[in-house]
Amino acid sequence: MKITGVKKLNKQLKQVAPNVREEIAKTSKRSVKRYANFARKIAPVGATGETKKVINDQVIANEKGVFGFVNFARPTKDSAMRQAAISYGRENGNRGQTAGYQYIKTTRTFIGDKFKRAMKNAARRGMKKATNG
């Protein structure tokens, strides 16, 4: 594939984009699911098991891009406060001070480098498919 100008490059990248997006979406789904499972494994086990139950993954792929994320709480204020208190602990208050069980932070740290490498490889695979390489 020989590129000889900005207009031609833009046109070629628009033609390549669907293949790259497909690869990135596929890799995102696999990675996000893996990291949600990882978070469930290291999350603390309570009497109700609610901490593990609320962890879920979601990937949205559309013409604007691919968005993947792991949710650690239900979409309510109380649930979010509960998850933050478990992961980061709480200062002296009505119930005293607690140390955090750092599973959200640990999961984010674990995700970082692997996810970057997975996305680079997915983009490379998509470009290869698009250029019949």
mmCIF file of all heavy atoms in Angstrom, residues 63-87:
data_model
loop_
_atom_site.group_PDB
_atom_site.id
_atom_site.type_symbol
_atom_site.label_atom_id
_atom_site.label_comp_id
_atom_site.label_asym_id
_atom_site.label_seq_id
_atom_site.Cartn_x
_atom_site.Cartn_y
_atom_site.Cartn_z
ATOM 1 N N GLU A 63 -20.571 3.891 15.270
ATOM 2 C CA GLU A 63 -19.763 4.623 14.295
ATOM 3 C C GLU A 63 -18.825 5.639 14.949
ATOM 4 O O GLU A 63 -17.855 6.070 14.347
ATOM 5 C CB GLU A 63 -20.659 5.322 13.254
ATOM 6 C CG GLU A 63 -21.538 6.425 13.799
ATOM 7 C CD GLU A 63 -22.805 5.928 14.472
ATOM 8 O OE1 GLU A 63 -23.150 4.746 14.341
ATOM 9 O OE2 GLU A 63 -23.445 6.741 15.146
ATOM 10 N N LYS A 64 -19.087 6.014 16.184
ATOM 11 C CA LYS A 64 -18.231 6.975 16.878
ATOM 12 C C LYS A 64 -17.000 6.314 17.493
ATOM 13 O O LYS A 64 -16.012 6.971 17.763
ATOM 14 C CB LYS A 64 -19.019 7.686 17.979
ATOM 15 C CG LYS A 64 -20.102 8.580 17.446
ATOM 16 C CD LYS A 64 -20.834 9.259 18.571
ATOM 17 C CE LYS A 64 -21.962 10.108 18.020
ATOM 18 N NZ LYS A 64 -22.742 10.736 19.089
ATOM 19 N N GLY A 65 -17.070 5.027 17.762
ATOM 20 C CA GLY A 65 -15.943 4.338 18.364
ATOM 21 C C GLY A 65 -16.379 3.113 19.132
ATOM 22 O O GLY A 65 -17.515 2.674 19.043
ATOM 23 N N VAL A 66 -15.452 2.573 19.899
ATOM 24 C CA VAL A 66 -15.704 1.392 20.719
ATOM 25 C C VAL A 66 -15.424 1.779 22.168
ATOM 26 O O VAL A 66 -14.343 2.268 22.482
ATOM 27 C CB VAL A 66 -14.798 0.214 20.305
ATOM 28 C CG1 VAL A 66 -15.045 -0.993 21.176
ATOM 29 C CG2 VAL A 66 -15.006 -0.131 18.843
ATOM 30 N N PHE A 67 -16.412 1.586 23.025
ATOM 31 C CA PHE A 67 -16.283 1.945 24.431
ATOM 32 C C PHE A 67 -16.527 0.695 25.273
ATOM 33 O O PHE A 67 -17.576 0.085 25.170
ATOM 34 C CB PHE A 67 -17.306 3.022 24.812
ATOM 35 C CG PHE A 67 -17.271 4.222 23.916
ATOM 36 C CD1 PHE A 67 -18.170 4.354 22.873
ATOM 37 C CD2 PHE A 67 -16.315 5.207 24.104
ATOM 38 C CE1 PHE A 67 -18.133 5.445 22.029
ATOM 39 C CE2 PHE A 67 -16.272 6.308 23.265
ATOM 40 C CZ PHE A 67 -17.175 6.429 22.230
ATOM 41 N N GLY A 68 -15.564 0.342 26.093
ATOM 42 C CA GLY A 68 -15.720 -0.804 26.967
ATOM 43 C C GLY A 68 -15.395 -0.413 28.392
ATOM 44 O O GLY A 68 -14.454 0.333 28.628
ATOM 45 N N PHE A 69 -16.190 -0.876 29.330
ATOM 46 C CA PHE A 69 -15.935 -0.538 30.723
ATOM 47 C C PHE A 69 -16.491 -1.602 31.653
ATOM 48 O O PHE A 69 -17.372 -2.371 31.290
ATOM 49 C CB PHE A 69 -16.495 0.838 31.091
ATOM 50 C CG PHE A 69 -17.898 1.085 30.597
ATOM 51 C CD1 PHE A 69 -18.990 0.784 31.383
ATOM 52 C CD2 PHE A 69 -18.111 1.622 29.342
ATOM 53 C CE1 PHE A 69 -20.279 1.015 30.935
ATOM 54 C CE2 PHE A 69 -19.399 1.857 28.879
ATOM 55 C CZ PHE A 69 -20.481 1.551 29.678
ATOM 56 N N VAL A 70 -15.923 -1.630 32.865
ATOM 57 C CA VAL A 70 -16.366 -2.536 33.920
ATOM 58 C C VAL A 70 -17.071 -1.690 34.966
ATOM 59 O O VAL A 70 -16.517 -0.715 35.467
ATOM 60 C CB VAL A 70 -15.178 -3.287 34.558
ATOM 61 C CG1 VAL A 70 -15.643 -4.171 35.702
ATOM 62 C CG2 VAL A 70 -14.448 -4.110 33.513
ATOM 63 N N ASN A 71 -18.305 -2.038 35.288
ATOM 64 C CA ASN A 71 -19.064 -1.345 36.332
ATOM 65 C C ASN A 71 -18.866 -2.065 37.652
ATOM 66 O O ASN A 71 -19.018 -3.282 37.717
ATOM 67 C CB ASN A 71 -20.561 -1.325 36.000
ATOM 68 C CG ASN A 71 -20.856 -0.500 34.775
ATOM 69 O OD1 ASN A 71 -20.309 0.576 34.613
ATOM 70 N ND2 ASN A 71 -21.707 -1.009 33.910
ATOM 71 N N PHE A 72 -18.571 -1.308 38.690
ATOM 72 C CA PHE A 72 -18.369 -1.892 40.014
ATOM 73 C C PHE A 72 -19.570 -1.672 40.921
ATOM 74 O O PHE A 72 -19.565 -2.084 42.061
ATOM 75 C CB PHE A 72 -17.124 -1.298 40.673
ATOM 76 C CG PHE A 72 -15.853 -1.760 40.023
ATOM 77 C CD1 PHE A 72 -15.255 -1.013 39.026
ATOM 78 C CD2 PHE A 72 -15.275 -2.956 40.388
ATOM 79 C CE1 PHE A 72 -14.088 -1.441 38.428
ATOM 80 C CE2 PHE A 72 -14.113 -3.392 39.795
ATOM 81 C CZ PHE A 72 -13.514 -2.630 38.811
ATOM 82 N N ALA A 73 -20.582 -0.970 40.462
ATOM 83 C CA ALA A 73 -21.733 -0.676 41.310
ATOM 84 C C ALA A 73 -22.978 -0.536 40.449
ATOM 85 O O ALA A 73 -22.897 -0.293 39.252
ATOM 86 C CB ALA A 73 -21.494 0.626 42.074
ATOM 87 N N ARG A 74 -24.119 -0.703 41.090
ATOM 88 C CA ARG A 74 -25.383 -0.426 40.397
ATOM 89 C C ARG A 74 -25.478 1.080 40.195
ATOM 90 O O ARG A 74 -24.819 1.843 40.902
ATOM 91 C CB ARG A 74 -26.548 -0.921 41.250
ATOM 92 C CG ARG A 74 -26.611 -2.427 41.315
ATOM 93 C CD ARG A 74 -27.931 -2.898 41.928
ATOM 94 N NE ARG A 74 -28.002 -4.337 41.874
ATOM 95 C CZ ARG A 74 -27.658 -5.131 42.886
ATOM 96 N NH1 ARG A 74 -27.245 -4.613 44.022
ATOM 97 N NH2 ARG A 74 -27.738 -6.425 42.768
ATOM 98 N N PRO A 75 -26.293 1.534 39.270
ATOM 99 C CA PRO A 75 -26.351 2.985 38.996
ATOM 100 C C PRO A 75 -27.160 3.766 40.037
ATOM 101 O O PRO A 75 -28.041 4.538 39.701
ATOM 102 C CB PRO A 75 -26.997 3.053 37.614
ATOM 103 C CG PRO A 75 -27.801 1.818 37.507
ATOM 104 C CD PRO A 75 -27.073 0.776 38.300
ATOM 105 N N THR A 76 -26.866 3.550 41.308
ATOM 106 C CA THR A 76 -27.503 4.325 42.374
ATOM 107 C C THR A 76 -26.412 4.922 43.257
ATOM 108 O O THR A 76 -25.304 4.377 43.342
ATOM 109 C CB THR A 76 -28.432 3.456 43.251
ATOM 110 O OG1 THR A 76 -27.644 2.470 43.920
ATOM 111 C CG2 THR A 76 -29.514 2.790 42.432
ATOM 112 N N LYS A 77 -26.722 5.999 43.906
ATOM 113 C CA LYS A 77 -25.754 6.680 44.765
ATOM 114 C C LYS A 77 -25.335 5.782 45.925
ATOM 115 O O LYS A 77 -24.148 5.686 46.257
ATOM 116 C CB LYS A 77 -26.351 7.984 45.287
ATOM 117 C CG LYS A 77 -25.399 8.805 46.101
ATOM 118 C CD LYS A 77 -26.029 10.101 46.551
ATOM 119 C CE LYS A 77 -25.073 10.899 47.414
ATOM 120 N NZ LYS A 77 -25.666 12.146 47.891
ATOM 121 N N ASP A 78 -26.289 5.109 46.557
ATOM 122 C CA ASP A 78 -25.978 4.241 47.704
ATOM 123 C C ASP A 78 -25.036 3.105 47.317
ATOM 124 O O ASP A 78 -24.099 2.777 48.040
ATOM 125 C CB ASP A 78 -27.254 3.658 48.308
ATOM 126 C CG ASP A 78 -28.098 4.717 49.004
ATOM 127 O OD1 ASP A 78 -27.529 5.756 49.391
ATOM 128 O OD2 ASP A 78 -29.306 4.494 49.154
ATOM 129 N N SER A 79 -25.288 2.501 46.161
ATOM 130 C CA SER A 79 -24.452 1.397 45.702
ATOM 131 C C SER A 79 -23.033 1.891 45.409
ATOM 132 O O SER A 79 -22.054 1.225 45.758
ATOM 133 C CB SER A 79 -25.062 0.752 44.461
ATOM 134 O OG SER A 79 -24.274 -0.336 44.043
ATOM 135 N N ALA A 80 -22.917 3.048 44.781
ATOM 136 C CA ALA A 80 -21.594 3.604 44.469
ATOM 137 C C ALA A 80 -20.825 3.930 45.747
ATOM 138 O O ALA A 80 -19.625 3.653 45.850
ATOM 139 C CB ALA A 80 -21.747 4.847 43.610
ATOM 140 N N MET A 81 -21.510 4.492 46.741
ATOM 141 C CA MET A 81 -20.858 4.806 48.018
ATOM 142 C C MET A 81 -20.411 3.526 48.723
ATOM 143 O O MET A 81 -19.321 3.467 49.304
ATOM 144 C CB MET A 81 -21.811 5.606 48.915
ATOM 145 C CG MET A 81 -21.992 7.036 48.446
ATOM 146 S SD MET A 81 -23.271 7.938 49.326
ATOM 147 C CE MET A 81 -22.657 7.926 50.984
ATOM 148 N N ARG A 82 -21.225 2.490 48.649
ATOM 149 C CA ARG A 82 -20.882 1.209 49.273
ATOM 150 C C ARG A 82 -19.621 0.628 48.639
ATOM 151 O O ARG A 82 -18.709 0.197 49.330
ATOM 152 C CB ARG A 82 -22.057 0.246 49.119
ATOM 153 C CG ARG A 82 -21.825 -1.127 49.672
ATOM 154 C CD ARG A 82 -23.034 -2.028 49.398
ATOM 155 N NE ARG A 82 -22.831 -3.333 49.945
ATOM 156 C CZ ARG A 82 -22.083 -4.279 49.380
ATOM 157 N NH1 ARG A 82 -21.481 -4.052 48.239
ATOM 158 N NH2 ARG A 82 -21.948 -5.458 49.952
ATOM 159 N N GLN A 83 -19.570 0.616 47.307
ATOM 160 C CA GLN A 83 -18.420 0.050 46.613
ATOM 161 C C GLN A 83 -17.154 0.857 46.901
ATOM 162 O O GLN A 83 -16.087 0.296 47.082
ATOM 163 C CB GLN A 83 -18.669 0.005 45.107
ATOM 164 C CG GLN A 83 -19.783 -0.915 44.681
ATOM 165 C CD GLN A 83 -19.566 -2.332 45.136
ATOM 166 O OE1 GLN A 83 -20.205 -2.806 46.060
ATOM 167 N NE2 GLN A 83 -18.687 -3.042 44.496
ATOM 168 N N ALA A 84 -17.264 2.176 46.947
ATOM 169 C CA ALA A 84 -16.103 3.013 47.245
ATOM 170 C C ALA A 84 -15.610 2.772 48.667
ATOM 171 O O ALA A 84 -14.403 2.704 48.914
ATOM 172 C CB ALA A 84 -16.442 4.480 47.037
ATOM 173 N N ALA A 85 -16.531 2.618 49.614
ATOM 174 C CA ALA A 85 -16.149 2.362 51.010
ATOM 175 C C ALA A 85 -15.436 1.014 51.138
ATOM 176 O O ALA A 85 -14.468 0.885 51.883
ATOM 177 C CB ALA A 85 -17.378 2.393 51.916
ATOM 178 N N ILE A 86 -15.890 0.017 50.382
ATOM 179 C CA ILE A 86 -15.249 -1.300 50.426
ATOM 180 C C ILE A 86 -13.851 -1.227 49.829
ATOM 181 O O ILE A 86 -12.886 -1.733 50.396
ATOM 182 C CB ILE A 86 -16.087 -2.357 49.679
ATOM 183 C CG1 ILE A 86 -17.370 -2.638 50.441
ATOM 184 C CG2 ILE A 86 -15.295 -3.644 49.491
ATOM 185 C CD1 ILE A 86 -18.371 -3.449 49.663
ATOM 186 N N SER A 87 -13.721 -0.566 48.678
ATOM 187 C CA SER A 87 -12.433 -0.570 48.003
ATOM 188 C C SER A 87 -11.426 0.398 48.623
ATOM 189 O O SER A 87 -10.250 0.081 48.700
ATOM 190 C CB SER A 87 -12.602 -0.227 46.529
ATOM 191 O OG SER A 87 -11.383 -0.474 45.858
#
